[in-house]
Amino acid sequence: MEWAVKFRNAPLSHEEQVLLDGIETARFSTEGGRGRNGYSDHYVLCLINRGYQWVPDKKLKWF
């Protein structure tokens, strides 16, 4: 979490933007909300770099 806070205002590289394509990160670290924010972007990138796979919202199905 500290890493995400430290770099929340840092611009994303092209490679990082590609990794986050289709992911709405704003709902990851906050209650509700849509879209993206710097803190969540960097936190999600950290998880992806550790091997986690992220499923874009549009692929989720709720029964």
Side-chain angles (χ1 to χ4, degrees), residues 2 6 10 14 18-20 23 27 40 46 50 58 62:
E2 291 178 24
K6 182 177 178 181
H14 175 71
V18 169
L19 285 174
L20 292 178
I23 299 174
R27 289 191 286 173
S40 292
C46 183
R50 290 181 176 209
K58 59 188 170 191
W62 299 98

Side-chain angles (χ1 to χ4, degrees), residues 1-4 28 38-48:
M1 292 291 234
E2 291 178 24
W3 185 81
F28 178 72
Y39 169 75
S40 292
D41 284 353
H42 289 285
Y43 191 78
V44 170
L45 284 169
C46 183
L47 293 173
I48 289 171

